Amino acid sequence: MDRRQYLAAAGTACVGLLAGCGGRSDSDEEPPDRDSDPEGDETSPDEVEVNTYGIEFDRIVNAVDDLGMDPTGGDPVDDALARAYREGTLVRFPPGEYRVSKSRVIEGSVSRFGIQGASKDHTDVVFRFPNAENDYWFVHQNGGEDVLLDNFTINTHEKYVTIRCRTNNGSLVQDIEWRGFLPEKVTNRGQLLDPSCPSVDGTNTVRRVIMGRDGAHVSGHYSATGIRSMTGIRFYGAHVGETILEDVEIHQIGSNGVRHTRADGVVTVKGGLFKNCGLSALRIHNGNHPSKDSSVTGAAVVIDHEDAKSIGTGNWSEHGANGILLDSTGQGYSQPTYENCDIICRSILSDGGWGLIRGTDTGQSNPGGGAFRNCRVINHTDLQTVRIDPRKPGAEPPQGFTFDNVGFYLSGDSQPLGAVISIEDGWDGSRISGSTIYASEGSVDGVCVRNCQNVSIENTRISVPQYLITGAGSQIVTQQISSEAPEELPF
């Protein structure tokens, strides 16, 4: 199921209701095809218009006609591609299969270089890596700017093929899919894609990239299981600028869908579907950029183990199963703003889990506060819905968490921490406003706040079987709290 099917399955009863429902609008039209043709005329691959997306190339060459590459997958393209790797060159690949025999066939910091499939569909141009095992680079771009990687497929069945497009500004990774089952990881290679931006003034973009549709080995957190799994998109210490992720789809990956926990830069997520990621879907902190903050807008985060692809010899583990993991890995940075997102748990096959939304204090993790606005959080299981662990020293402001116009809907009959929303020690100044918190069965409380001061809960409907609000050792101000059940539910 794609993102829209999941939203439909989750229900749209809250869409368009007044503030306090916590619904979000999903009325946007489907995006157009890559090269829409309103007249419906057939266009051959050779006639597909060249679009360089604002990057000015000095020359555009055909991989087969000009460079002599074999489109049948017989002869390797390594030498020809390596020779073409120079400033100002866009290499366009006609439909076919292209064999790459060497790791890091593209390596360097050349600017204004590109690889582009010359077709309307990214599946028409396939790169295969017969010599790859569990640790293999295709592109290792480290520096430069204005690099275009566009419109092709990477065959990764039972192997890992990774891309680094770590450039200073203006690069675009677009319409690329990693296809094939992703096996257990036996090396330290950390991600399929590193699109970091090592210039504080730079911005790179990743658009419509797809990972994990064919399944992956899943085993939980390495510290508990001793088994490593791959992250989809990861940012390292070199990332100090901004990278925008637009309509990315990570359907199943063993570790984190997106991880950004150490660097000073920011990550901006716009739309996208992040489904059944073994450890967490999004693990992003706010960064320390002089003028920008990380944000997630319009994304769908889904846990639905009963609708997963193969996990090989792996197991869904209790040491994971997070939708959103609020983390900072020793940096203390605050967390992004999540807005107009759907965060859904439909089924879970592990024996427990960390939480649909979890602010973690495990190990070095010491995240600062964050905000959720105009989101829906829908939980059909007994996985903890919101779990904010105690605030640790060194966590940056804001000190509290904000939930503004968020709908929390639980159809399960229990919560491991007793309440739909659990906020532990030290999150002074936390606020819940204009929201709905609903649970119909079991011994479930609405909100539990422990050892926090100056907490505000206002203009909020809390309809649960047990206590609406509990506050051990806390100072909580409440205004306009209703216990009436919502008129419509997204179940």
Side-chain angles (χ1 to χ4, degrees):
M1 302 171 75
D2 65 15
R3 177 177 182 273
R4 290 183 175 275
Q5 290 173 313
Y6 261 103
L7 301 192
T12 57
C14 282
V15 173
L17 296 185
L18 298 177
C21 170
R24 62 174 291 273
S25 173
D26 191 43
S27 60
D28 296 338
E29 297 180 358
E30 291 282 0
D33 292 338
R34 173 184 174 84
D35 292 296
S36 59
D37 183 358
E39 301 300 327
D41 294 336
E42 292 289 338
T43 303
S44 69
D46 291 340
E47 296 173 335
V48 173
E49 181 180 354
V50 178
N51 192 333
T52 63
Y53 304 98
I55 300 176
E56 296 183 1
F57 294 100
D58 299 326
R59 65 196 68 85
I60 299 174
V61 296
N62 185 294
V64 176
D65 295 341
D66 299 326
L67 303 180
M69 296 188 196
D70 182 357
T72 70
D75 295 329
V77 301
D78 303 51
D79 292 343
L81 186 54
R83 287 194 300 269
Y85 180 58
R86 58 192 179 110
E87 184 170 327
T89 300
L90 173 63
V91 182
R92 301 196 79 223
F93 286 80
E97 294 187 1
Y98 298 89
R99 177 178 177 177
V100 179
S101 298
K102 301 176 184 176
S103 183
R104 303 182 186 232
V105 65
I106 295 175
E107 181 170 25
S109 56
V110 169
S111 294
R112 296 189 300 116
F113 175 78
I115 296 175
Q116 185 177 58
S119 174
K120 284 191 173 183
D121 196 308
H122 70 273
T123 62
D124 292 335
V125 176
V126 180
F127 289 97
R128 297 188 179 276
F129 305 82
N131 297 335
E133 293 179 355
N134 210 260
D135 182 359
Y136 208 83
W137 291 101
F138 177 26
V139 175
H140 195 270
Q141 175 82 23
N142 197 2
E145 59 185 35
D146 293 335
V147 171
L148 176 63
L149 304 177
D150 179 36
N151 197 36
F152 56 83
T153 294
I154 297 173
N155 182 282
T156 57
H157 185 65
E158 292 291 353
K159 61 191 68 175
Y160 283 102
V161 178
T162 59
I163 285 179
R164 172 160 285 153
C165 191
R166 182 187 288 178
T167 65
N168 296 320
N169 188 42
S171 291
L172 175 60
V173 180
Q174 175 176 267
D175 291 317
I176 296 176
E177 181 169 10
W178 276 256
R179 292 304 306 264
F181 178 82
L182 299 169
E184 178 182 343
K185 187 161 73 76
V186 297
T187 71
N188 289 324
R189 180 74 67 236
Q191 78 295 311
L192 294 180
L193 174 62
D194 171 12
S196 301
C197 183
S199 171
V200 70
D201 297 322
T203 300
N204 294 325
T205 300
V206 177
R207 181 180 297 140
R208 295 189 301 270
V209 162
I210 303 172
M211 299 173 176
R213 286 203 294 191
D214 298 316
H217 187 278
V218 176
S219 56
H221 198 281
Y222 172 75
S223 64
T225 65
I227 299 174
R228 300 183 187 276
S229 296
M230 184 66 83
T231 284
I233 300 174
R234 185 170 182 177
F235 298 86
Y236 291 88
H239 179 62
V240 297
E242 178 187 23
T243 297
I244 300 171
L245 309 180
E246 295 183 6
D247 295 323
V248 167
E249 296 186 22
I250 302 180
H251 291 256
Q252 184 179 319
I253 200 92
S255 187
N256 302 282
V258 179
R259 178 174 179 176
H260 170 49
T261 58
R262 295 184 182 274
D264 289 348
V266 300
V267 176
T268 301
V269 179
K270 299 179 179 180
L273 170 62
F274 305 89
K275 173 190 168 189
N276 284 336
C277 299
L279 185 57
S280 71
L282 298 173
R283 187 179 179 183
I284 300 169
H285 69 200
N286 195 54
N288 190 33
H289 194 278
S291 62
K292 298 179 179 180
D293 298 305
S294 293
S295 64
V296 180
T297 305
V301 172
V302 177
I303 300 174
D304 190 356
H305 291 171
E306 292 180 353
D307 187 35
K309 299 296 184 180
S310 171
I311 61 174
T313 59
N315 292 288
W316 297 108
S317 172
E318 63 180 338
H319 302 286
N322 301 277
I324 306 296
L325 184 57
L326 306 167
D327 185 17
S328 195
T329 316
Q331 303 301 308
Y333 293 148
S334 58
Q335 300 301 293
T337 297
Y338 288 82
E339 191 164 5
N340 294 323
C341 295
D342 283 287
I343 305 165
I344 303 168
C345 184
R346 294 188 59 79
S347 66
I348 184 168
L349 298 181
S350 60
D351 184 16
W354 290 354
L356 188 49
I357 298 174
R358 181 187 178 183
T360 177
D361 67 347
T362 302
Q364 296 180 342
S365 299
N366 60 339
F372 292 78
R373 296 188 172 94
N374 304 317
C375 296
R376 294 192 306 174
V377 182
I378 303 171
N379 189 356
H380 296 268
T381 74
D382 294 335
L383 177 68
Q384 180 62 41
T385 304
V386 177
R387 171 183 173 179
I388 308 297
D389 291 344
R391 189 172 190 267
K392 293 177 71 173
E396 292 185 356
Q399 189 161 340
F401 277 88
T402 295
F403 299 96
D404 183 14
N405 192 31
V406 179
F408 300 92
Y409 304 96
L410 174 68
S411 66
D413 60 6
S414 67
Q415 289 285 266
L417 298 180
V420 177
I421 300 174
S422 174
I423 302 176
E424 300 271 354
D425 308 2
W427 293 106
D428 301 348
S430 291
R431 181 171 65 92
I432 302 173
S433 65
S435 296
T436 292
I437 303 167
Y438 172 82
S440 63
E441 300 179 1
S443 299
V444 179
D445 298 335
V447 182
C448 179
V449 181
R450 298 177 181 86
N451 302 316
C452 299
Q453 305 302 307
N454 193 29
V455 174
S456 173
I457 304 176
E458 58 189 29
N459 189 28
T460 290
R461 176 173 7 203
I462 307 176
S463 178
V464 295
Q466 298 294 313
Y467 294 104
L468 305 188
I469 301 168
T470 62
S474 298
Q475 179 190 48
I476 305 174
V477 176
T478 62
Q479 295 183 28
Q480 295 182 301
I481 303 301
S482 168
S483 61
E484 294 184 3
E487 295 179 1
E488 297 184 70
L489 296 169
F491 302 129

